[in-house]
Amino acid sequence: MASSYSYLPVDLREYTVAHTTAPDDLVAALVERTRAALPDEAVMQVSAEQSTLLGMLARLCGARQAVEVGTFTGLSSLAVARALPADGRMLCLDVSEEFTAIAREFWARAGVDDRIELRIGPAAETLAATPAEPTFDFAFIDADKPSYGRYWDLLVPRLRVGGLIVVDNVLWSGRVLDPDAGDEDTRALAAFNDKVSGDERVESVMLLFADGLTLARKR
Ligand SMILES: C[S@@+](CC[C@H](N)C(=O)[O-])C[C@H]1O[C@@H](n2cnc3c(N)ncnc32)[C@H](O)[C@@H]1O
């Protein structure tokens, strides 16, 4: 299953995907459904191998409470929710009823809908209204790029020590290297990356994977 982004030569990228656990039928169906229902927006979906990595990371950090900023049609949340124990909880934030209707359908098909709470509205407002105490073991940021810094500021205090924040699109197709980037998204991501690497509250690693993925573990 092809990735949306990659900085590896195509043959090496295909090799890495071929040597990664294959997506199951439900993941494949969600990818197909998103492409068919939302052809113009489907590029926003995480790749299947990225969803595999997210599920593995949630399992590795023993996540019981997870939060996601930017749910779209639900592939990343499906992977994380499946990695939670049966009594685990996941808070999913998005502004679109249309996109997340597909997510709801696939969460139900996976039997994880009872662990997910979806809140529709600007994610920063929803997060700010949650208690500012360490609650989450795992967080995934994948929504509007200019707000990444705000999501970070809201999530770090809400993450327990040892918890993990994963951030998508931190390379923005390589545009973060352009110091004269004129667009708001690129400038926001470049500033966000500087903010994270200078934040003493976490140890972080930026991975050359998909469109760039930062892993940040709270100290
Ligand atoms: C890149 S997509 C997320 C992809 C998703 N993680 C997946 O697994 O396919 C970004 C999502 O962020 C949502 N979004 C944009 N601005 C937002 C905001 N201010 N608050 C919450 N969600 C927002 C969009 O509606 C869209 O569904």
Side-chain angles (χ1 to χ4, degrees):
M1 199 169 286
S3 310
S4 310
Y5 306 94
S6 177
Y7 301 98
L8 294 173
V10 171
D11 53 352
L12 261 185
R13 169 165 54 96
E14 288 174 353
Y15 183 85
T16 66
V17 172
H19 293 81
T20 296
T21 301
D24 67 10
D25 289 348
L26 192 63
V27 168
L30 177 49
V31 171
E32 282 311 306
R33 174 65 174 279
T34 301
R35 285 179 186 163
L38 300 164
D40 295 335
E41 294 88 358
V43 67
M44 291 200 291
Q45 186 174 52
V46 296
S47 63
E49 64 275 16
Q50 206 175 343
S51 77
T52 304
L53 177 64
L54 288 167
M56 181 183 287
L57 291 171
R59 278 194 187 87
L60 284 172
C61 71
R64 304 184 67 82
Q65 303 279 340
V67 58
E68 172 177 84
V69 182
T71 293
F72 190 45
T73 59
L75 183 50
S76 48
S77 51
L78 179 70
V80 174
R82 285 170 138 183
L84 302 177
D87 62 348
R89 301 285 300 159
M90 179 159 193
L91 179 62
C92 287
L93 310 177
D94 205 289
V95 286
S96 172
E97 293 278 8
E98 179 194 4
F99 299 159
T100 56
I102 296 175
R104 287 184 194 276
E105 178 192 327
F106 279 78
W107 295 335
R109 285 173 63 175
V112 294
D113 50 329
D114 58 340
R115 16 187 127 147
I116 297 178
E117 179 185 353
L118 172 64
R119 293 206 204 151
I120 299 295
E125 289 177 24
T126 310
L127 275 176
T130 66
E133 57 194 40
T135 304
F136 299 112
D137 310 296
F138 184 91
F140 182 47
I141 301 177
D142 188 19
D144 51 317
K145 310 313 166 193
S147 302
Y148 269 29
R150 178 94 178 106
Y151 299 144
W152 180 262
D153 291 338
L154 288 161
L155 284 169
V156 173
R158 290 166 172 79
L159 195 74
R160 72 163 169 81
V161 170
L164 189 68
I165 302 183
V166 182
V167 190
D168 199 16
N169 303 115
V170 293
L171 293 176
W172 209 226
S173 302
R175 292 196 288 277
V176 288
L177 286 179
D178 179 3
D180 302 319
D183 69 290
E184 186 186 12
D185 286 350
T186 303
R187 281 188 272 108
L189 283 164
F192 175 78
N193 291 335
D194 291 345
K195 178 185 179 92
V196 171
S197 59
D199 193 328
E200 293 292 327
R201 295 172 298 176
V202 300
E203 58 173 351
S204 65
V205 180
M206 186 182 283
L207 299 180
L208 191 63
F209 179 84
D211 190 28
L213 201 66
T214 287
L215 311 184
R217 180 181 180 275
K218 188 167 175 181
R219 297 183 201 270

